Amino acid sequence: MEISTLESWIGKKQPNGEKKPVVIAGPCSAETPEQLLSTCQALTDSGIDILRAGIWKPRTRPNSFEGVGEVGLQWFQEVKKEVGLPSATEVANAQHVELALKYGVDVLWIGARSTVNPFTVQEIADALKGVDIPVIVKNPINPDLSLWLGGIERIAGAGITKLAALHRGFSSFEKTKYRNVPMWQIAIELKSLLPNLPIFCDPSHIGGSRDLILPLAQRALDLNYDGLMIETHINPDKAWSDASQQVTPMRLNEILSELRIKRPTTEDPEFNTHLDDLRHKIDMIDREILEILATRMSLVEKIGDYKKENNVTVFQVDRWIKVFQTRPEWGKKMNLDSDFTAQLFKLIHDESIKIQASR
Ligand code: PEP
Ligand code: MN
């Protein structure tokens, strides 16, 4: 897959050794010409790279604001000229692509509700054949890495090389503090499959609330993401969509200045020697963990044989409950996160059942 560098489409060189995130900001939706212009004007001092505004809004339930449509592209065109920054919007079908291109939108993104549907992504890809425009593919709403990858492959298949992924979190049935649970490991996995693909984070849609934007954006930078998309509105409380997660341009400035930008690597020999030393210790501990696990599993084999000889079932619910009560408690006393310990022992227990059942 041919992937152009982010610099090639942002037109910005990174200062030496630094990795300043590329920032896309603007309202969730274009609402009125005044709202769009005043928001984008206020963003000119923030050092952002690209303006965003949704023109067609995919809403979960009908009868809510579904975007202003084509007229918003005219406003966006004028605002862009006035402010002097490139613009980005979401496209969800071939007609959106055609109109966005007609009005000179500079960057397109594919929303989470479109990435889930290969028919939709293919329709967008077909409409993009022969066009040279950057396209950002948001993750699908469900935690399915192949679907995300498939969406990127379909757009690449249309000849688009200015590609990026955007991590906006995943829907879940369980209520959590996030609007969309981040599941960072899925984005990390994507990065390991496509190391040259720039990746953005959308802390607004992951968090669903203003307070979570800074810590989520910081996490993304700590994971070496290339950019951020942050919903910004001149009067967030009055926004027609996603009011609780939008920030004022002033707050955006604060967030951007509070972010700690770190270097992905350093040439400093002292640092690297010390890091190697710590990593060597971790390697040894990982071996010990595996040796202990192997010893545990050989005991599991013995238990499996013993149960079989005595015609006793592999699974006993009382034992399961006890394991799941005690381990997180023991871990907590050792400063280990209870959820982490519970998940770890779920994996160990699953394996143990599998081993016993195969005896
Ligand atoms: C948006 O960016 O406004 C949007 C609708 O995002 P998502 O597709 O991530 O829900
Ligand atoms: Mn939104």
Side-chain angles (χ1 to χ4, degrees):
M1 194 184 297
E2 195 190 330
I3 299 171
S4 308
T5 62
L6 194 51
E7 277 102 22
S8 75
W9 48 280
I10 300 294
K12 191 175 81 174
K13 273 253 158 288
Q14 292 286 2
N16 250 355
E18 255 188 56
K19 187 162 176 186
K20 205 174 159 289
V22 169
V23 180
I24 306 175
C28 177
S29 309
E31 298 164 4
T32 65
E34 298 74 33
Q35 168 257 6
L36 192 62
L37 183 63
S38 54
T39 303
C40 296
Q41 271 174 337
L43 281 169
T44 47
D45 297 333
S46 313
I48 68 154
D49 304 280
I50 301 173
L51 298 167
R52 67 150 279 156
I55 300 293
W56 300 280
K57 299 306 298 176
R59 304 312 296 275
T60 306
R61 310 270 306 265
N63 306 321
S64 39
F65 171 61
E66 291 188 328
V68 292
E70 185 172 348
V71 68
L73 292 171
Q74 283 174 29
W75 310 339
F76 213 8
Q77 199 170 38
E78 283 153 26
V79 165
K80 194 181 107 176
K81 256 190 255 146
E82 178 106 17
V83 173
L85 281 173
S87 58
T89 202
E90 172 173 351
V91 288
N93 59 39
Q95 197 209 3
H96 294 168
V97 172
E98 198 184 301
L99 286 168
L101 295 175
K102 177 175 150 194
Y103 287 93
V105 174
D106 303 280
V107 175
L108 306 178
W109 83 78
I110 298 180
R113 292 162 194 77
S114 300
T115 310
V116 280
N117 184 351
F119 287 133
T120 298
V121 180
Q122 194 57 53
E123 178 182 328
I124 296 169
D126 291 342
L128 283 168
K129 282 217 173 91
V131 182
D132 179 26
I133 191 168
V135 179
I136 303 175
V137 183
K138 285 197 168 199
N139 67 256
I141 41 178
N142 52 330
D144 185 334
L145 175 61
S146 310
L147 215 41
W148 197 1
L149 195 58
I152 294 161
E153 285 165 345
R154 283 176 198 278
I155 301 301
I160 300 284
T161 63
K162 292 168 181 157
L163 271 169
L166 196 159
H167 175 208
R168 51 77 78 197
F170 302 89
S171 289
S172 71
F173 179 67
E174 275 165 55
K175 286 273 154 277
T176 70
K177 70 170 175 171
Y178 302 110
R179 178 176 175 195
N180 293 292
V181 282
M183 300 188 166
W184 299 99
Q185 69 278 18
I186 297 181
I188 292 169
E189 186 91 355
L190 178 72
K191 191 75 191 165
S192 69
L193 293 173
L194 297 173
N196 298 328
L197 183 73
I199 182 158
F200 284 77
C201 177
D202 175 346
S204 313
H205 285 89
I206 294 179
S209 81
R210 282 163 212 158
D211 301 347
L212 290 171
I213 293 176
L214 178 59
L216 286 166
Q218 185 63 57
R219 173 72 80 89
L221 297 195
D222 289 344
L223 292 172
N224 204 11
Y225 279 46
D226 304 278
L228 301 166
M229 181 190 264
I230 300 181
E231 286 190 337
T232 312
H233 192 290
I234 196 72
N235 189 355
D237 288 329
K238 292 275 176 321
W240 297 1
S241 59
D242 290 353
S244 58
Q245 70 192 37
Q246 300 204 61
V247 289
T248 60
M250 206 160 79
R251 178 65 194 140
L252 178 76
N253 279 342
E254 287 169 8
I255 291 173
L256 295 179
S257 65
E258 280 172 46
L259 284 171
R260 278 166 294 116
I261 296 166
K262 297 169 188 167
R263 298 168 289 182
T265 53
T266 161
E267 302 288 301
D268 179 354
E270 198 182 318
F271 170 85
N272 284 320
T273 312
H274 188 50
L275 187 66
D276 281 349
D277 191 34
L278 292 172
R279 283 183 172 159
H280 181 63
K281 285 190 180 125
I282 285 192
D283 288 348
M284 298 214 303
I285 291 175
D286 284 351
R287 273 199 161 275
E288 280 174 33
I289 292 175
L290 289 173
E291 277 161 16
I292 290 173
L293 274 175
T295 312
R296 189 192 193 279
M297 292 310 172
S298 59
L299 270 175
V300 165
E301 286 175 3
K302 279 205 184 100
I303 288 187
D305 292 344
Y306 193 53
K307 284 181 186 165
K308 194 175 173 189
E309 280 158 30
N310 289 281
N311 209 24
V312 171
T313 57
V314 162
F315 180 70
Q316 274 96 32
V317 74
D318 298 355
R319 172 70 181 159
W320 161 271
I321 291 170
K322 202 159 174 200
V323 168
F324 279 89
Q325 269 169 359
T326 51
R327 274 52 171 178
E329 280 167 21
W330 297 348
K332 212 168 166 187
K333 292 198 183 105
M334 304 173 199
N335 273 335
L336 289 170
D337 180 80
S338 313
D339 286 344
F340 164 73
T341 317
Q343 277 187 48
L344 181 66
F345 275 91
K346 180 162 187 321
L347 261 182
I348 292 175
H349 195 266
D350 282 353
E351 182 63 13
S352 159
I353 298 272
K354 205 167 90 195
I355 292 174
Q356 292 183 56
S358 69
R359 302 303 287 175

